[in-house]
Amino acid sequence: MSLYIVGIGPGSMEGMTLEARDALKRCSIIAGYTVYTDLVKAYYPEKEYYSTPMRREEERCRYVLERADGGLDVALVCSGDAGIYGMAGLVFQLREEMKETKEIEIQVIPGVTAASSGAALLGAPLTNDFAVISLSDLLTPLETIQNRLRCAAMGDMAICLYNPSSRKRADYLKMACDIILEYQSPEIICGYVKNIGRVGEEKKILTLKELREEQVDMFTTVYIGCGMTREISGRMVTPRGYRLHRNEKQMVAAGEEGVRKYGGIWIFGGTTEGRLLYRHCLEKKIPASVFVATSYGRQILEQERALEQESVVIRAGRLTKEKMRDAMERERPVLVLDATHPHALEVSENIRSVCRILNIPCQRVVRDLTEEDKHQEASGKSPCFDTVQEAVTFLQEKTGNILVTTGSRELHRYTSLTDYRERLYVRVLPDAETIRTCTDMGIRGRHLLAMQGPFSEEMNRAVIKEYDIRWLVTKQSGDPGGFPEKQKAAKELDVGLIVIRKGKRESGIGIEEAKEILEEWK
């Protein structure tokens, strides 16, 4: 007399192990949850069947123990693996209580659980450490489930969710996503599979923020990636680190040049802080790649050519989020310093997001307010605004010509001004892309001043006089950005100075702390 607790995988003959098939052949009775017994009836129609609905698990376990005790070979079938959210544990508990069943030989027959069979359909989302969590609170308190979700998300593990939703728990998947979003990026790659190995099988790969809005059911298995998970050729993949390990070996073998080629420190600059960090890397021979958006940015850095080191390279060109991620994943920098402009919000968010997804250390380098900045804020002599749009709204009510010296990125906002083609003059960098941006907006001829700084107080006065400027718009850029020269020229000629603040004070590290971190990572 034997009792086989059989994991039948998804339920198809192809999804069962040979051991499971043999066990079902040997038994005379097959018991289980109604859905699971119906799945195997087509393959073993000659057997006697006993089934119970949901919430009557103990009844069916007692039944198989009693029938096996009566001298029959019995199988209790479970989907997936009988020991993973299956009946194996309950059978052993009940056997301990039912003294007369002590002589029954119980064999647990492993099966292919939904976590692995669904993962195979999606690609390879569970290649590294992962957690399996059921969202059903029928037997587990909801608070416990929520704590487990938080722990898995904090540990940056891929997560496989069983029982993600039901009629009574329609919002539980959304709840789980909200918890994970406290620790992970909304762009984390996720996936789900419905009816694994059965009629109506369906799979989908999507982001965490998209998953939050999906409607799924009890027959769906959900996969939430970790920081390393990505979509490769339409598949969900969590790399285990083989390629990274190889690169680390090459870095050691190749020395400083290897660090430069395969990783090193990345600095996103194009600002005064970026230039200072670049110079520091040159002086201290710290392997680093410094990224700037334009060829002009490269020229500024190349003025330090006397200190050029092979271990420090300049890389010019704008990176989309996708290109940034591809490059980081390929080269695996050991540290990223974001020293971009305070108003480059989208770029900063892309850097943070990609580093979070790939689990790469990232620090934001923030600007320290100079005494001059603090005086400017306190004096109130010139209108100060947090955004360009606020400045444009202010200028909408004013008359006279306007000179904008804040770059081309947000020039489009000034096109809402009445008669902007006649009133607006812009001073921008003399590169082809910037000039094309201006001309596309209708800013041409005398209104387009493509010039390369630095600009003296005398030159600022000359421009203001030449174009009869009434309002001068500048960033709160301090000495390196030529702010004092603009301020003095505007004051002397009684021109309104409009200042775009550096933005709300960000959290991050200052330039000196950034230098210390660079030396620690050397």
Side-chain angles (χ1 to χ4, degrees):
M1 52 184 180
S2 297
L3 171 55
Y4 302 99
I5 310 174
V6 183
I8 61 172
S12 65
M13 184 65 75
E14 295 80 7
M16 293 185 206
T17 66
L18 293 176
E19 187 178 10
R21 294 185 196 180
D22 289 342
L24 293 177
K25 284 180 183 178
R26 287 195 295 270
C27 69
S28 57
I29 300 174
I30 298 177
Y33 172 46
T34 306
V35 174
Y36 307 148
T37 55
D38 287 346
L39 288 171
V40 299
K41 274 182 182 178
Y43 309 117
Y44 304 96
E46 74 284 1
K47 305 295 183 180
E48 179 184 339
Y49 285 88
Y50 176 84
S51 60
T52 62
M54 291 286 287
R55 301 198 180 192
R56 290 172 61 181
E57 291 82 3
E58 186 171 331
E59 179 182 325
R60 79 180 78 118
C61 289
R62 287 187 182 277
Y63 173 83
V64 295
L65 283 166
E66 289 169 355
R67 296 305 299 270
D69 188 53
L72 298 174
D73 290 332
V74 183
L76 176 63
V77 294
C78 306
S79 69
D81 183 279
I84 300 176
Y85 302 117
M87 296 292 99
L90 181 55
V91 169
F92 284 112
Q93 288 177 279
L94 292 174
R95 182 194 185 187
E96 188 66 23
E97 298 173 10
M98 300 167 66
K99 305 297 184 182
E100 66 277 10
T101 62
K102 292 294 186 180
E103 301 303 317
I104 298 175
E105 180 185 357
I106 298 178
Q107 295 185 44
V108 180
I109 310 299
V112 182
T113 188
S116 54
S117 56
L121 290 168
L122 289 174
L126 307 180
T127 310
N128 214 317
D129 296 337
F130 66 94
V132 178
I133 301 173
S134 171
L135 295 190
S136 172
D137 58 355
L138 185 62
L139 301 174
T140 304
L142 179 58
E143 184 179 353
T144 300
I145 294 171
Q146 293 170 332
N147 287 338
R148 289 170 179 172
L149 287 167
R150 286 192 175 89
C151 289
M154 288 174 65
D156 193 31
M157 290 191 289
I159 303 171
C160 178
L161 298 178
Y162 282 46
N163 308 313
S165 186
S166 67
R167 286 192 298 272
K168 293 183 178 180
R169 298 183 293 105
D171 61 344
Y172 273 34
L173 177 58
K174 182 176 289 189
M175 173 269 295
C177 291
D178 286 339
I179 290 173
I180 295 166
L181 281 166
E182 296 174 14
Y183 306 94
Q184 294 285 23
S185 164
E187 302 302 322
I188 286 282
I189 298 299
C190 301
Y192 65 77
V193 185
K194 294 183 178 181
N195 301 312
I196 299 171
R198 304 173 191 168
V199 176
E201 181 179 274
E202 176 187 340
K203 63 181 179 180
K204 185 175 182 179
I205 294 176
L206 65 176
T207 63
L208 180 55
K209 66 181 178 183
E210 292 169 335
L211 176 66
R212 184 181 182 277
E213 306 304 324
E214 288 287 309
Q215 294 297 318
V216 298
D217 57 26
M218 285 286 288
F219 299 104
T220 303
T221 306
V222 174
Y223 300 80
I224 298 175
C226 65
M228 295 183 68
T229 306
R230 63 171 299 187
E231 185 176 351
I232 301 176
S233 301
R235 297 299 187 97
M236 182 180 178
V237 179
T238 302
R240 192 176 180 190
Y242 296 111
R243 293 182 65 188
L244 178 59
H245 182 61
R246 181 178 75 243
N247 284 353
E248 286 171 343
K249 287 182 179 178
Q250 290 171 317
M251 285 162 58
V252 172
E256 186 171 82
E257 174 64 19
V259 172
R260 182 174 69 83
K261 183 176 180 181
Y262 295 107
I265 296 166
W266 282 17
I267 300 169
F268 287 88
T271 57
T272 301
E273 291 75 21
R275 292 197 292 275
L276 291 172
L277 294 176
Y278 171 70
R279 183 178 182 85
H280 188 73
C281 289
L282 292 176
E283 293 173 345
K284 301 296 182 180
K285 298 183 179 181
I286 299 170
S289 291
V290 182
F291 291 78
V292 291
T294 65
S295 56
Y296 175 68
R298 177 192 286 275
Q299 292 171 19
I300 293 296
L301 293 182
E302 285 177 344
Q303 293 175 4
E304 308 285 347
R305 188 178 298 279
L307 293 170
E308 188 71 51
Q309 301 289 345
E310 284 297 317
S311 61
V312 185
V313 294
I314 305 169
R315 299 163 73 169
R318 300 187 189 280
L319 291 177
T320 64
K321 185 176 181 179
E322 291 72 24
K323 289 182 179 179
M324 189 185 296
R325 175 168 176 165
D326 287 344
M328 281 197 199
E329 190 159 32
R330 183 173 61 251
E331 301 180 32
R332 301 301 302 188
V334 296
L335 171 69
V336 172
L337 293 180
D338 172 17
T340 56
H341 195 276
H343 291 292
L345 302 179
E346 182 179 353
V347 176
S348 279
E349 175 54 32
N350 288 344
I351 293 169
R352 284 194 299 271
S353 176
V354 172
C355 287
R356 188 164 56 239
I357 290 170
L358 299 179
N359 200 26
I360 294 172
C362 177
Q363 289 279 8
R364 173 68 173 145
V365 181
V366 298
R367 294 184 168 184
D368 295 321
L369 288 176
T370 64
E371 290 304 315
E372 181 181 338
D373 294 332
K374 296 173 183 176
H375 175 71
Q376 175 68 26
E377 288 277 11
S379 66
K381 294 181 179 178
S382 301
C384 295
F385 301 98
D386 290 324
T387 67
V388 169
Q389 187 56 58
E390 291 176 357
V392 170
T393 302
F394 172 82
L395 288 167
Q396 195 73 261
E397 306 299 322
K398 306 300 178 183
T399 58
N401 292 342
I402 304 162
L403 174 63
V404 176
T405 65
T406 56
S408 62
R409 182 180 295 275
E410 294 191 80
L411 269 181
H412 64 280
R413 301 192 183 280
Y414 292 89
T415 60
S416 64
L417 291 171
T418 304
D419 299 329
Y420 80 91
R421 286 185 173 86
E422 288 71 38
R423 297 179 58 201
L424 194 65
Y425 293 80
V426 301
R427 188 165 71 191
V428 295
L429 298 176
D431 64 75
E433 182 180 351
T434 300
I435 292 173
R436 185 164 51 251
T437 297
C438 294
T439 56
D440 287 347
M441 287 186 285
I443 302 171
R444 304 183 178 94
R446 279 174 51 85
H447 294 264
L448 176 56
L449 287 67
M451 308 169 68
Q452 182 170 317
F455 301 104
S456 64
E457 180 184 343
E458 291 73 20
M459 184 174 290
N460 283 314
R461 284 202 304 268
V463 170
I464 291 171
K465 289 180 179 178
E466 174 67 22
Y467 299 102
D468 191 22
I469 300 300
R470 180 66 189 87
W471 299 96
L472 192 160
V473 183
T474 178
K475 292 177 182 175
Q476 194 180 49
S477 53
D479 291 349
F483 181 81
E485 287 75 15
K486 291 181 231 180
Q487 186 182 42
K488 291 173 184 176
K491 182 178 180 181
E492 182 175 329
L493 298 176
D494 195 26
V495 166
L497 186 68
I498 296 176
V499 181
I500 309 298
R501 293 191 185 94
K502 292 178 179 179
K504 296 177 181 178
R505 186 61 179 160
E506 298 179 277
S507 61
I509 59 174
I511 189 70
E512 294 305 319
E513 187 176 352
K515 289 179 180 179
E516 292 176 6
I517 291 175
L518 283 171
E519 295 189 37
E520 289 175 3
W521 281 86
K522 180 178 177 182

